[in-house]
Amino acid sequence: MRVNVTVNGEQRQADDVWEGESLLFLLRERLGLPGSKNACEQGECGSCTVYLDDVPVCACLVAAGQAEDREVRTVEGLARGDRLDPVQEAFVEAGAVQCGFCTPGLVVAAHDLLDRVPKPSDPEIREALAGNLCRCTGYEKILEAVRLAASRKEAGA
Amino acid sequence: MSLTPADLTSAVAGGIGASPQRPDGNLKVRGEFAYASDLWHEDMIWGATLRSPHPYARIVSVDLTEALKVPGVHAVLTHEDVPGQNRYGLEHRDQPVLAEDVVRYQGEPVALVGADHPETALRALKRIKVEYDVLTPVVDMETAADERPLHPAGNVVRHVPIRRGDQRAEAEVVVTGRYEVGMQDQAFLGPESGLAVPDEEGGVDLYIATQWLHVDQAQVAVALGLPLERVRLTLSGVGGAFGGREDLSMQVHACLLALRTGKPTKMVYNREESFYGHVHRHPAVLYYEHGADRTGRLVYVKARIFLDGGAYASSTSAVVANAATLGVGPYDVDNVTVDCWGVYTNNPPCGAMRGFGAVQAAFAYESQMDRLAEALGMDPVDVRIVNAMSEGSVMPTGQVVDSAAPVAQLLKLVKDKPMPPLPAAVDLRDMPGGVSNTTHGEGVVRGVGYAVGIKNICFSEGFDDYSTARVRLQVINGEPAASAHTAAAEVGQGLVTIMQQIVRTELGVERVTILPMDTGIGNGGSTSASRQTYVTGGAVRAACAAVREKLVKLAGGRAPVDLVDLLGDDVIDETVEWRHRATERIDPVTGQGNAHVQYGFAAHRAVVDVDVELGLVKVVELDCAQDVGKALNPQAVLGQIQGGSAQGLGLAVMEEIQLADGKVRNPSFTDYLIPTVLDMPPMSIDVLELADPHAPYGVRGVGEPPTISSTPAIVAAIRAATGLALTRVPVRPEHITGT
């Protein structure tokens, strides 16, 4: 089948999509956007988190066809040119990135949190990121990164 | 004359001791860093693996006919298509690339399919007909040695005895225990994956996520029947490793398909296949007896340790040596009797995971120290301090510990930390069970526990453990620029940052490029045993020293003032092989010998709240003190301690590959749980920097020690809260409720 979808503001089209393919496969293998990651492909790890019409979803749990005529924003669509989003910047600075495989999903999840809750408390951060597994960092520096991004966004706002 | 780094320049930013940003950080947060599973090649096909559903069976027949008919299938391969030797393995070549007449574990690869779409490959796999004659699996590590031999030499992979002092020593106070450690998974997030690209001369380029390029290369070449130079490996982005990428997974398989079809071949495991596709941490059964005098001084320790190596040897031999030589922990004991066996069974193969043998022993010896404290009516920290090893102590192997061993200091540091306050008001998010709303505080008991551990750093027992580094210095666009090239695998830990820092400090050059890691340069050794900063860091530093010598020559023996003027169009390019001081194999009868290069130590305090009615545990705080010799990158050091402690927490309360008759019951992140941000508590960390004079910059390996003491500290805290013996990890709710 053919899928038409807006990805990171750009109208995209993919042909010969098998009906069983996920949005994650579509993004990674057909649209050249491998930033969203394939760590579990069963909705447990959050590594493939993308915005679908402004709602964060696990792209592995969305069928490619369900994205027809909708808007997807991936981790590749967060920075403005060379300028990183404050969440991305804070992840690098705080040391929240080790292997980085969980990072794209966490960055999108944290980005969404700060859009909804500009100054989240630690329990709010923990709750918002509870669907994203990280195996390297023990999460401490991820919390630091989200706090840092929140303070930067506040200062910049 | 010799030239010191300070002669070269005023210090540049981002050298050792600082925490500059990692060079791959921006790419990773943008989603643009190319992991092995992200690779793509024009005209590539997808590989998939047929695996045995049985832990132990004879293969009667394999019929590929129907699979070959599936449109889009390019090749279906079995062991008959392995052109070289159908055997590989890190220490013993005992594992077939593809099974021949027998399968020895559930998940063992039997056949491969290459197809134009991953789904096509899966459909073809389902059409391969394999007839099995199912056999009764050997699954009990304690009796495996006497059961049906799974390999020609029998089921004992290695037995290591340690005999030190009086073997008949007696003591006033004796405590005994039997302990069990379940099978833990590395659960790195980036699945096994790679891309094999055939060249036009029958060779292959493999882009791969691994921990050790050269040992992969050697094994792949043997299996393909190709000379080494025809098999070239380049490290692709690695999504975590923790030991699980030391053994081969899809490396040979992808190359076989690529060479057969002439097409670039990509293989990516999904999570379920990943659980079958790599080795795990050895499950263990440990019997301990500790004898002490009335003051708490240990008189003797006796231990019998069984490690389940599963179907193939992997690194079992080295894991056995670690569990045995580190088996009494960081304590002074004059009289030691240890026997440790690693055995073959039909359980999944086990090998390297962070902590490597030291983790299993530590759960047992630290549980014993608590038992001893209880028998003596002593404080658990005091009994540890009474026996704490220090610099100059003698290991059970007879090896003298010849650099800092601040065991007592680490224990005091975690003991003296302020306690976390009890919650002022009920917030479900702080409760065991969380927002499941299982308690508002009723039945919740707080407990505190302590533990300390020891780990060997670098490869042991006489292994020629070296790394190779090439450093180039030249002027680019009017400024001095350096590059460093090694084959040492960056798996997320930040070696690329450390290498940049070392070059900046040694050459006074800010602009440092880290070249892709590949087999185009000499061996970098494994990213294991907490060794890369030590060994590859040492190699990079030595290569920089060689570059400096050339600079002095260029400057006619004077200290160069301006690198740009001095170098002009010259390029200085130096390659150095660097090795740490030699170790020796331990005596096979007494276990005596200078087996290890360096020892690392960490201590933890855990504070837990336990819902004793439901058996739910909330770790409230997990604090750590560790000596790192020298923190080359303090931020990365903390990251290792936090991440390592989290993996120890996982083993304490949730992580286990559950087996029934050799079959894995929970190969998914739905059923194999790893800590989330809700499970991992805040950590207060003290980092000591007591330089090791034998190591570059005084560094002491960082990655593994925190994983070792985290688990027993948490279990000790649960014991303190519940009064239960809790002799098995992970502790499950039913262990606490007795239901």
Side-chain angles (χ1 to χ4, degrees), chain A residues 18 21 25 28-30 34-35 37-42 44-45 47 75-76 79 81-82 84 88 91-95 97-104 123-124 126-127 129-130 133-141, chain B residues 21-22 25-26 28-31 35 37-38 46 117-119 123 185-187 189-191 238-240 242 266 268 271 429 491-492 635 638-640 642-643 646-647 655 668-670 674-678 680 682-683:
Chain A
W18 174 60
E21 280 176 23
F25 190 91
R28 289 176 53 79
E29 304 296 340
R30 298 197 182 273
K37 287 289 165 281
N38 54 316
C40 79
E41 295 173 90
Q42 57 184 173
E44 295 287 355
C45 75
S47 306
V75 68
E76 289 102 332
D82 285 343
L84 295 179
Q88 293 173 313
F91 265 66
V92 179
E93 274 181 48
V97 179
Q98 287 188 33
C99 92
F101 210 79
C102 69
T103 303
E124 283 172 320
R126 286 181 188 274
E127 204 171 334
L129 304 184
L133 296 176
C134 168
R135 191 56 159 167
C136 297
T137 67
Y139 303 103
E140 287 270 279
K141 297 207 175 294
Chain B
Q21 293 183 9
R22 46 186 309 148
N26 278 14
K28 285 180 173 178
V29 295
R30 296 173 72 101
Y35 295 89
S37 54
D38 300 338
W46 293 79
H117 189 285
E119 187 62 24
R123 287 179 188 178
D185 188 64
Q186 297 83 356
L189 288 197
V238 184
F242 317 115
K266 176 170 172 171
V268 182
R271 183 51 51 182
R429 293 173 296 191
V491 300
Q635 188 185 63
L638 291 177
Q640 286 297 309
Q642 291 157 347
Q647 290 180 6
E655 290 186 34
S668 73
F669 280 164
T670 309
I674 66 173
T676 72
V677 70
L678 292 173
M680 190 56 199
M683 291 190 71

Side-chain angles (χ1 to χ4, degrees), chain B residues 102-116:
Chain B
V102 62
V103 286
R104 296 184 181 84
Y105 73 99
Q106 181 203 20
E108 180 158 355
V110 175
L112 303 169
V113 169
D116 56 8

Side-chain angles (χ1 to χ4, degrees), chain B residues 14 109 180 211 285 307 334 340 421 447 475 482 487 532 535 572 592 703 724:
Chain B
E180 278 185 42
Q211 289 178 240
V285 175
L307 297 167
D334 292 335
C340 182
V475 176
Q532 283 299 19
V535 187
I572 301 180
Q592 300 298 294
L724 297 167

Side-chain angles (χ1 to χ4, degrees), chain B residues 438-677:
Chain B
T438 49
T439 178
H440 289 192
E442 60 278 10
V444 175
V445 183
R446 180 156 290 193
V448 181
Y450 298 88
V452 61
I454 180 171
K455 178 69 183 49
N456 58 322
I457 309 298
C458 301
F459 276 30
S460 299
E461 283 200 275
F463 190 85
D464 184 19
D465 192 22
Y466 68 95
S467 184
T468 315
R470 176 181 182 186
V471 173
R472 269 167 81 94
L473 180 65
Q474 62 191 312
V475 176
I476 297 176
N477 294 333
E479 59 171 315
S483 67
H485 185 197
T486 74
E490 164 66 49
V491 300
Q493 80 279 37
L495 179 65
V496 286
T497 324
I498 295 288
M499 286 165 59
Q500 283 185 320
Q501 290 179 256
I502 290 173
V503 176
R504 287 187 191 122
T505 292
E506 296 296 329
L507 296 182
V509 172
E510 195 161 351
R511 196 168 139 195
V512 182
T513 305
I514 303 302
L515 300 181
M517 291 148 166
D518 58 33
T519 52
I521 184 169
N523 203 332
S526 184
T527 296
S528 314
S530 307
R531 68 178 281 286
Q532 283 299 19
T533 296
Y534 191 131
V535 187
T536 292
V540 170
R541 185 196 197 195
C544 288
V547 168
R548 281 206 311 266
E549 262 179 49
K550 285 279 169 69
L551 276 175
V552 171
K553 270 191 198 149
L554 207 57
R558 288 185 304 276
V561 182
D562 187 304
L563 281 179
V564 175
D565 286 349
L566 182 66
L567 280 166
D569 292 332
D570 286 352
V571 176
I572 301 180
D573 189 331
E574 292 292 322
T575 301
V576 171
E577 224 173 61
W578 188 87
R579 31 181 59 74
H580 56 67
R581 55 187 173 150
T583 57
E584 59 195 33
R585 208 163 160 85
I586 51 173
D587 183 278
V589 176
T590 64
Q592 300 298 294
N594 293 322
H596 299 310
V597 179
Q598 186 189 54
Y599 296 99
F601 306 90
H604 278 87
R605 181 186 72 185
V607 181
V608 304
D609 282 343
V610 183
D611 182 333
V612 296
E613 291 162 3
L614 294 175
L616 300 174
V617 175
K618 165 93 180 169
V619 182
V620 175
E621 192 168 300
L622 185 59
D623 301 320
C624 182
Q626 182 173 341
D627 173 32
V628 303
K630 163 79 183 168
L632 292 196
N633 182 318
Q635 188 185 63
V637 163
L638 291 177
Q640 286 297 309
I641 295 174
Q642 291 157 347
S645 299
Q647 290 180 6
L649 181 149
L651 179 60
V653 295
M654 62 183 82
E655 290 186 34
E656 181 176 10
I657 292 183
Q658 297 183 29
L659 298 170
D661 296 326
K663 289 192 178 180
V664 176
R665 310 308 296 169
N666 56 340
S668 73
F669 280 164
T670 309
D671 298 314
Y672 182 95
L673 302 181
I674 66 173
T676 72
V677 70

Side-chain angles (χ1 to χ4, degrees), chain A residues 67-78:
Chain A
E68 178 71 21
D69 290 336
R70 296 174 76 177
E71 283 195 30
V72 173
R73 192 175 180 199
T74 72
V75 68
E76 289 102 332
L78 295 184

